[in-house]
Amino acid sequence: MKEILQELEQRRGRARLGGGEARIEAQHALGKLTARERIEVLLDEGSFEEYGMYVEHRATDFGMAERKIAGDGVVTGWGTVEGRPVYVFAKDFTVFGGSLSEAHAEKICKIQDMALKAGVPIIGLYDAGGARIQEGVAALGGYAEVFQRNVLASGVIPQISVIMGPCAGGDVYSPAMTDFIFMVRGTSYMFVTGPDVVKTVTNETVTPEELGGSVVHTTRSAIADGAYDNDVEALLEIRRLVGFLPLSNRDSAPERPTLDPAQRREMSLDRLIPDSAHKPYDIKELIAMVADDGDFFEIQRDFARNIVTGFGRIEGSTVGFVANQPMVLAGVLDSDASRKAARFVRFCDCFNIPIVTFVDVPGFLPGTAQEYGGLIKHGAKLLFAYAEATVPKITVITRKAYGGAYDVMASKHLRGDVNYAWPSAQIAVMGAKGAVEIIYRKEAGDADRIAERTKEYEARFMSPFVAAERGYIDEVIMPHATRARVARALKLLRRKQLANPWKKHDNIPL
Ligand code: HXC
């Protein structure tokens, strides 16, 4: 028996070495952890149970029969994050560059299936070069099996991808179908085809960083939801994110007891809105003051900064915050902001996370660049997302809510459950100046008359009361009471029930 146990330990030891000491050192020299080290940081200490440690590929071409490594380039299993279960797979770059063989794909599919059945999130740590070139179509088939499971799991269990090395081909398509993608600055890249192929096909010369580094994907393509300085920071932040998410769509968002009183009044909020309607202020200050302990996990911080999205808690329960940001482009809605917020709203709705929306929006951004870029369709995404969402929706209009953007931002008409406005709110078709220029065009030459008309328009429409008179606003609240009011509303809505008509699925304007 002793020998059998010893053999098990030896086999385990060999598998843990992956591609060997030299490749592990090369990984460390680049500032990267190995697959197993990453899992250790991600999960609660000692909680990881590995599956499929001895799986080997079955390829024979190109001398592969003699090159077998236990585990075949991916470490799979499950463990806990703050005591709650998650499934995890981590690509091992030291083994054939983490590339995906048929057997490697089967390991991932197995835990995807387990996660879906158990109703538990799945986290993929990527550091891999795509399909295993030596295996050809068997690897392509393997990827498609993984993709199919990504799609079936979408909206059922949270799927999170962390890009921690150079990733190409299927190792970017699978993450693209998950809920969130995070990257590590300076060591991770995502591209469908790498710089060499780009050079051959388009004759462009680009570095990996220029083609698919974290700056590109967090600021321009919006493929990634955030980036961190190193592996450890990224993994610790993923632990934080998991703490906000329910295990599956069958569960409610988790609760974390807090000492932060729900009734906390923030008198400084009464001074947040500047005297001039043209002056910006930072909407993140409001989020920080409303959320428990100011704790806010921002999603897509560096993209479309004119809208802010992310998770916080109120009275211990997770909420999704969506807020126009007056500091950037006056908080206008453009195509990028609409796409960003629409995806976030849909995630919250999939996973029973109430949505708290702070509105200060001068409208949709005019211009040919936006119109040619499909603003109508992108704007409609956000409208569609809010309108279809059945989770509790609390809206607070702090200042401007103009035009179509008023409708879009979780208005009463889109089944907003509780719609508040601050006394500084201005709800109108457009700003007073623009409105007067159109309806009093004939008086355009008379500056005094126009000034008078503008004042008249402001007095009539630039307040929350016209909307409140119609019942579009449920209550005009004091800014300092915002947290207390929102907390009360959320408590009231805990048992909210609302269902959309049966359908196979909707046809959101993609
Ligand atoms: C087999 C691979 C591999 C692959 C890397 N390796 N990618 N082996 N199949 N796809 C191996 C290398 O041979 C090398 O082995 C080791 O991994 C490390 O690779 P390096 O090239 O030395 O590392 P680096 O310079 O850091 O470059 C990493 C890389 C590059 C950018 C990922 O290796 C690369 O471009 N690989 C190919 C990417 C690709 O085109 N994949 C196919 C995509 S198609 P040794 O033994 O020398 O250490 C695809 C289809 C899916 O995925 C369908 C999607 C819809």
Side-chain angles (χ1 to χ4, degrees), residues 23 30 32 64 67 92-100 127-136 139-141 143-144 147 165-174 189 191-197 208:
R23 285 192 173 86
L30 290 170
K32 302 196 295 180
M64 290 300 278
R67 297 182 68 199
D92 184 349
F93 193 78
T94 69
V95 178
F96 309 118
S99 59
L100 179 138
D127 187 355
R132 180 136 346 133
I133 293 165
Q134 295 90 332
E135 289 212 8
L140 295 183
Y143 264 126
F147 300 157
C167 292
D171 285 308
V172 297
Y173 273 115
S174 177
Y189 314 103
F191 25 70
V192 175
T193 47
D196 296 345
V197 180

Side-chain angles (χ1 to χ4, degrees), residues 168-182:
D171 285 308
V172 297
Y173 273 115
S174 177
M177 283 184 294
T178 62
D179 297 302
F180 298 109
I181 299 180
F182 296 92

Side-chain angles (χ1 to χ4, degrees), residues 427-466:
I427 304 162
V429 174
M430 59 177 73
K433 191 169 167 291
V436 168
E437 274 168 13
I438 291 171
I439 55 181
Y440 297 109
R441 200 189 295 279
K442 288 195 187 108
E443 297 171 16
D446 185 344
D448 290 347
R449 190 88 185 111
I450 287 291
E452 200 182 307
R453 297 285 195 197
T454 306
K455 267 206 178 130
E456 257 175 52
Y457 189 91
E458 278 172 357
R460 176 73 185 115
F461 290 112
M462 306 309 264
S463 85
F465 296 106
V466 177

Side-chain angles (χ1 to χ4, degrees), residues 283 306-308 322-326 331 333 358-361 400 409:
I283 202 72
N306 38 330
I307 204 156
V308 177
V322 179
N324 308 114
Q325 172 58 289
L333 278 182
F358 294 137
V359 184
D360 187 347
V361 62
K400 297 170 202 161
M409 295 299 296

Side-chain angles (χ1 to χ4, degrees), residues 194-434:
D196 296 345
V197 180
V198 169
K199 176 78 189 157
T200 313
V201 178
T202 70
N203 204 25
E204 279 176 287
T205 306
V206 280
T207 63
E209 187 64 42
E210 287 164 348
L211 186 62
S214 64
V215 174
V216 170
H217 288 312
T218 54
T219 63
R220 296 183 67 168
S221 74
I223 303 294
D225 296 288
Y228 302 104
D229 281 340
N230 53 56
D231 283 14
V232 173
E233 191 192 343
L235 295 163
L236 294 179
E237 284 298 304
I238 300 306
R239 283 178 63 85
R240 213 180 126 222
L241 173 61
V242 169
F244 285 102
L245 306 182
L247 295 182
S248 78
N249 67 349
R250 306 196 285 267
D251 298 276
S252 339
E255 289 198 30
R256 172 170 304 186
T258 175
L259 295 175
D260 193 358
Q263 299 306 315
R264 173 166 52 79
R265 287 170 174 239
E266 284 292 349
M267 301 316 285
S268 66
L269 287 180
D270 292 348
R271 297 183 301 276
L272 184 67
I273 304 292
D275 289 336
S276 161
H278 305 293
K279 273 204 178 151
Y281 61 95
D282 188 355
I283 202 72
K284 288 191 200 174
E285 275 186 42
L286 174 57
I287 295 174
M289 285 179 190
V290 169
D292 289 356
D293 305 301
D295 189 16
F296 180 52
F297 190 98
E298 193 167 350
I299 298 292
Q300 296 217 334
R301 188 193 66 185
D302 299 319
F303 180 74
R305 292 184 303 115
N306 38 330
I307 204 156
V308 177
T309 53
F311 301 106
R313 294 184 188 84
I314 294 182
E315 272 198 281
S317 288
T318 302
V319 298
F321 286 105
V322 179
N324 308 114
Q325 172 58 289
M327 298 279 278
V328 180
L329 297 171
V332 76
L333 278 182
D334 56 5
S335 296
D336 288 348
S338 304
R339 271 197 301 135
K340 165 178 164 177
R343 184 157 167 79
F344 183 75
V345 165
R346 294 194 103 213
F347 177 85
C348 291
D349 193 46
C350 285
F351 290 105
N352 312 318
I353 297 174
I355 301 163
V356 175
T357 305
F358 294 137
V359 184
D360 187 347
V361 62
F364 279 100
L365 183 61
T368 49
Q370 286 294 310
E371 297 290 353
Y372 296 173
L375 176 65
I376 297 170
K377 203 163 236 186
H378 295 305
K381 288 178 181 148
L382 182 54
L383 174 57
F384 199 110
Y386 266 126
E388 73 172 349
T390 56
V391 288
K393 292 186 278 198
I394 316 290
T395 306
V396 182
I397 300 176
T398 59
R399 192 167 59 174
K400 297 170 202 161
Y402 292 169
Y406 155 73
D407 279 343
V408 168
M409 295 299 296
S411 64
K412 197 58 160 176
H413 325 282
L414 303 185
R415 304 186 294 181
D417 291 297
V418 180
N419 292 65
Y420 291 128
W422 285 5
S424 47
Q426 307 167 355
I427 304 162
V429 174
M430 59 177 73
K433 191 169 167 291

